[in-house]
Amino acid sequence: AQKITQTQPGMFVQEKEAVTLDCTYDTSDQSYGLFWYKQPSSGEMIFLIYQGSYDEQNATEGRYSLNFQKARKSANLVISASQLGDSAMYFCAMRGLRDSGGGADGLTFGKGTHLIIQP
Amino acid sequence: GAVVSQHPSRVICKSGTSVKIECRSLDFQATTMFWYRQFPKQSLMLMATSNEGSKATYEQGVEKDKFLINHASLTLSTLTVTSAHPEDSSFYICSARRASSAGELFFGEGSRLTVL
């Protein structure tokens, strides 16, 4: 079974500051993928960043970077230079990447962190 | 990027009626689609995995007779909430996996169902 833990229900951050959203995971899979999604109040899920378990480099996408520490089973999202438009719910998710076939598995999501950027 | 469209975005229905939600991949073929349910201020919970041309695989605790899923083509999956009740009111989101994609899933915009 897979489990995602996001320990920060909410965070207040001043505009232009960097923010780290915590995510730890638990899985018995050897290969897996880790994702971060942003969900604004409109409800849509916006893909931010992906990290494969065998990727040696931490993933980066613009202002987003993923601090992947495999031994600690953590995949924290770092947002640099936060903007007012970053205010939203942020979900960490994972999916096993089994080689045995049988189709793709759906994502397992954490409970989310509500990020509020203050001017 | 790949686009997944859900319709309708909002639906209000009377208790006892059935509601169909469509999930379409607009510019790619989706061999697998997933249906999630999200309660207010809560995370997304996977309901079922839908593979084209075969029966959906439901997660534990999800009633397959209540939530009918059909994946008739590589670009369309439908979720039908049968005999809807107020407790079925929720936000339903689909996602699709592109056949050539290694890991990323593409999400629809979501459908908010309100059962009166």
Side-chain angles (χ1 to χ4, degrees):
Chain A
Q2 298 171 343
K3 184 179 179 181
I4 295 284
T5 302
Q6 292 180 255
T7 57
Q8 305 153 311
M11 286 190 69
F12 287 86
V13 175
Q14 288 294 120
E15 189 181 9
K16 300 181 183 177
E17 290 185 351
V19 56
T20 298
L21 304 182
D22 295 340
C23 173
T24 57
Y25 60 91
D26 192 17
T27 181
S28 56
D29 291 334
Q30 294 299 312
S31 298
Y32 49 89
L34 294 158
F35 304 78
W36 276 93
Y37 287 90
K38 172 183 178 181
Q39 187 182 41
S41 56
S42 56
E44 64 195 291
M45 295 291 284
I46 302 169
F47 168 75
L48 296 179
I49 198 166
Y50 169 79
Q51 178 88 42
S53 58
Y54 286 108
D55 294 340
E56 296 186 354
Q57 302 271 355
N58 282 349
T60 60
E61 288 286 347
R63 293 187 298 114
Y64 305 107
S65 60
L66 201 150
N67 184 1
F68 181 47
Q69 298 188 38
K70 193 171 183 177
R72 297 179 57 186
K73 292 189 175 181
S74 74
N76 299 341
L77 175 71
V78 180
I79 306 174
S80 63
S82 58
Q83 301 171 357
L84 295 177
D86 294 333
S87 296
M89 284 292 293
Y90 288 80
F91 291 98
C92 179
M94 76 177 300
R95 183 169 72 89
L97 302 175
R98 300 185 183 89
D99 296 328
S100 58
D105 296 326
L107 293 171
T108 299
F109 283 85
K111 292 184 182 295
T113 296
H114 187 193
L115 176 64
I116 299 172
I117 308 298
Q118 296 176 314
Chain B
V3 178
V4 175
S5 176
Q6 255 184 268
H7 178 80
S9 57
R10 292 180 182 272
V11 57
I12 300 173
C13 69
K14 292 183 179 180
S15 185
T17 61
S18 294
V19 175
K20 180 185 285 187
I21 301 170
E22 294 186 346
C23 178
R24 294 181 184 272
S25 55
L26 298 184
D27 52 358
F28 67 97
Q29 292 185 331
T31 52
T32 306
M33 288 185 172
F34 306 89
W35 287 95
Y36 297 84
R37 181 173 181 176
Q38 186 180 30
F39 294 98
K41 299 184 180 180
Q42 293 193 31
S43 186
L44 280 74
M45 299 299 295
L46 178 65
M47 297 174 65
T49 302
S50 165
N51 291 298
E52 186 266 339
S54 63
K55 289 184 178 180
T57 302
Y58 290 81
E59 295 299 302
Q60 194 172 9
V62 178
E63 298 176 62
K64 60 180 66 177
D65 294 330
K66 158 69 82 173
F67 300 100
L68 299 179
I69 292 172
N70 183 277
H71 194 159
S73 76
L74 286 172
T75 59
L76 174 64
S77 177
T78 61
L79 167 67
T80 302
V81 183
T82 63
S83 187
H85 290 284
E87 57 264 30
D88 298 325
S89 298
S90 194
F91 192 64
Y92 295 89
I93 304 179
C94 73
S95 69
R97 183 189 184 209
R98 187 164 50 185
S100 59
S101 170
E104 187 177 0
L105 297 178
F106 302 93
F107 281 83
E109 308 97 323
S111 300
R112 187 166 301 283
L113 170 64
T114 302
V115 184
L116 303 177

